[in-house]
Amino acid sequence: MTGPEHVHVQTVEGFGTVTVRPVDPDGDAPLLHGWVNEERARFWGMVGTTVEQVREVYAHLDSLDTHHGFLIARDGEPVALFQTYDPGADRVSECYEVRPGDIGVHLFVAPGLAPEPGFTGRLLTALIAFSLKEHARIVVEPDAANEKAIARLVRAGFVLGPEVVLPEVDLPEVFIPEKRARLAFLSR
């Protein structure tokens, strides 16, 4: 059953109960800081940030109507950071023709979890269901050099699109460097 702060709850057979709730910038910043500062998080683009910078990033995200951050838990244990966004309000819109009903997503699986075959695929089952509840198509744009993520997306049913260069974003509240990415799509 969905609690007051959960926006999605789904039991995945043989995996557990996956809950999706909005990131609490103040409460979650220390946990997220530990995750995004490991070398394996280099594709996430936040290595070298402070706890306060992580809090500021997610407070900014929380202030937007178009971009959202979620903390994902399995059976009550935080296991991933998930972000959704309106592609029409994002730099990715400069790289492909956005369709009505598109939703963009980013997934970061927490470090330090004991290796578990099929973990990410089963987690994606719930996150895809959550993303496609009110949308017709998911668009992702992992770093083109992140072969592991691209292969995982293909196994989950995503269709690869072109390799593109996402332009730099330099605003007072956020800086995002240029990124070579591989587009991929999954339709309902």
Side-chain angles (χ1 to χ4, degrees):
M1 185 169 202
T2 302
E5 63 179 15
H6 296 123
V7 295
H8 185 77
V9 177
Q10 182 176 341
T11 300
V12 177
E13 190 174 331
F15 185 67
T17 300
V18 176
T19 55
V20 179
R21 71 156 173 85
V23 166
D24 169 10
D26 294 324
D28 294 332
L31 172 69
L32 299 179
H33 173 263
W35 291 0
V36 302
N37 270 280
E38 291 197 3
E39 171 54 27
R40 67 180 285 281
R42 67 191 175 282
F43 294 119
W44 198 253
M46 294 179 72
V47 173
T49 56
T50 65
V51 172
E52 181 56 23
Q53 287 170 320
V54 171
R55 189 202 67 72
E56 288 172 3
V57 165
Y58 286 96
H60 172 70
L61 203 64
D62 193 42
S63 75
L64 302 175
D65 293 334
T66 56
H67 293 64
H68 307 283
F70 299 98
L71 188 68
I72 311 304
R74 176 175 75 162
D75 297 332
E77 284 296 315
V79 295
L81 178 57
F82 190 62
Q83 293 176 193
T84 63
Y85 62 92
D86 173 358
D90 191 85
R91 65 185 179 161
V92 74
S93 67
E94 297 181 34
C95 301
Y96 88 104
E97 189 174 330
V98 178
R99 295 182 192 167
D102 280 359
I103 184 171
V105 304
H106 299 286
L107 172 64
F108 180 78
V109 176
L113 299 174
E116 183 179 330
F119 178 89
T120 304
R122 289 183 293 212
L123 184 63
L124 277 171
T125 298
L127 298 178
I128 288 169
F130 168 63
S131 300
L132 291 177
K133 273 195 307 192
E134 297 177 10
H135 296 88
R137 183 172 73 157
I138 299 171
V139 59
V140 295
E141 26 86 7
D143 191 291
N146 192 345
E147 295 173 8
K148 187 175 178 181
I150 293 168
R152 175 66 262 172
L153 291 166
V154 169
R155 287 193 307 275
F158 282 78
V159 175
L160 293 179
E163 191 170 297
V164 298
V165 176
L166 300 176
E168 174 183 289
V169 174
D170 192 4
L171 302 171
E173 59 278 348
V174 66
F175 173 77
I176 306 171
E178 180 180 275
K179 171 182 157 184
R180 181 163 294 287
R182 182 68 185 260
L183 297 179
F185 303 90
L186 180 68
S187 296
R188 186 180 311 152

